[in-house]
Structure formats: C-alpha cells, structure tokens
Amino acid sequence: METQVMHSDKPGAGPGRARGVAAEGNMAVAPDQMCPSDAELVEPGEVERLCGEGVGLVDLREAAAFTAAHLPGAVNIPADALIERPAQTQGAVILYDDDGALIARRCGALRLAVGELEFFVLKGGLNAWRDAGLPLEAR
C-alpha cells in the first residue's frame, strides 16, 4: 500500500510515495521546505494517520527543547547526532524541528544520514503542529 502525502509546492508535484532524494546545489529553500526537490512535506493533520501505519516521529531539536514540548510518541535524536550516527533510525520516519529552518539548513547532511530510509518532513514543524491546536507532550 502506498502512502499518500502532500508534495512541496514545486510545479508538477502531486501525491505519491514518500522518498526524498537530494539534489546538488538545491540549498536555498523557505523554512517550511526541505531542500531535496522531491522531499515529502506532511501537513500536521496527516501525522496521526502516518503514525498509525507504522511511521515513526523523530524530533531533531536539542534535548532541552524536546523535554519542554514534543509531538506525542516522538523520539529525540538531535540533528547533529543523527548526522554523526545515522544508524539510529529504522523504518519510515517523520522528521521535524521548530519551524523547518533547521531541516532546511542541514538538509544535505540529513539526506545522507537517512540514506535510503523512507522519510517525511512535518511542514512548518512543531510551530505548525501547535498552531493547529494539536496535543503536545512534555517530559
């Protein structure tokens, strides 16, 4: 079964299978877009469905920010730690940060870290989740 998700706003994009592929020289992006041209952006309302299909949640922020508030069920793997030790994740994952800016800045290294792993990016990050009135957890 294929997972249908929102594509980026790039011309010709439509629903499809989630798999990002890095594109050389594609580093200048808006904070709510990840640099690989076909990275799958997921709206906050899609997260519960994807998690129900077995997709994991990875919070790329530092531990203190994660402890203060995070998406229910998320695990914390700060972006630098994921880049240094990419084998920390298995299966499909949704990556998120505060607003997408961290992912946009580190997209090339993150793409290499997740390799062939199926991944999604939460459009607008934790801020969009909060703005949608969805629940958060704290530890």
Side-chain angles (χ1 to χ4, degrees):
M1 174 194 307
E2 286 199 341
T3 302
Q4 298 294 313
V5 297
M6 297 288 295
H7 277 267
S8 67
D9 296 330
K10 303 229 182 272
R17 183 109 179 121
R19 182 162 307 273
V21 178
E24 260 328 292
N26 190 11
M27 299 301 259
V29 295
D32 67 345
Q33 296 178 341
M34 189 157 168
C35 71
S37 61
D38 67 344
E40 302 294 336
L41 297 178
V42 180
E43 297 290 338
E46 292 283 317
V47 171
E48 184 176 2
R49 180 184 61 78
L50 289 170
C51 289
E53 294 175 4
V55 176
L57 284 168
V58 177
D59 186 319
L60 297 174
R61 301 170 308 141
E62 293 301 317
F66 176 81
T67 300
H70 57 272
L71 275 62
V75 297
N76 182 225
I77 307 175
D80 289 338
L82 180 61
I83 290 166
E84 291 171 14
R85 292 169 295 180
Q88 296 182 73
T89 58
Q90 295 179 0
V93 295
I94 299 169
L95 304 175
Y96 76 91
D97 57 13
D98 283 320
D99 59 7
L102 170 68
I103 293 172
R105 281 193 313 272
R106 305 297 304 271
C107 65
L110 287 167
R111 175 67 254 165
L112 292 173
V114 297
E116 291 301 310
L117 184 69
E118 187 173 21
F119 75 101
F120 304 85
V121 175
L122 177 58
K123 185 176 182 180
L126 183 79
N127 293 342
W129 181 270
R130 183 180 286 127
D131 291 347
L134 297 166
L136 292 169
E137 292 181 347
R139 287 191 201 172

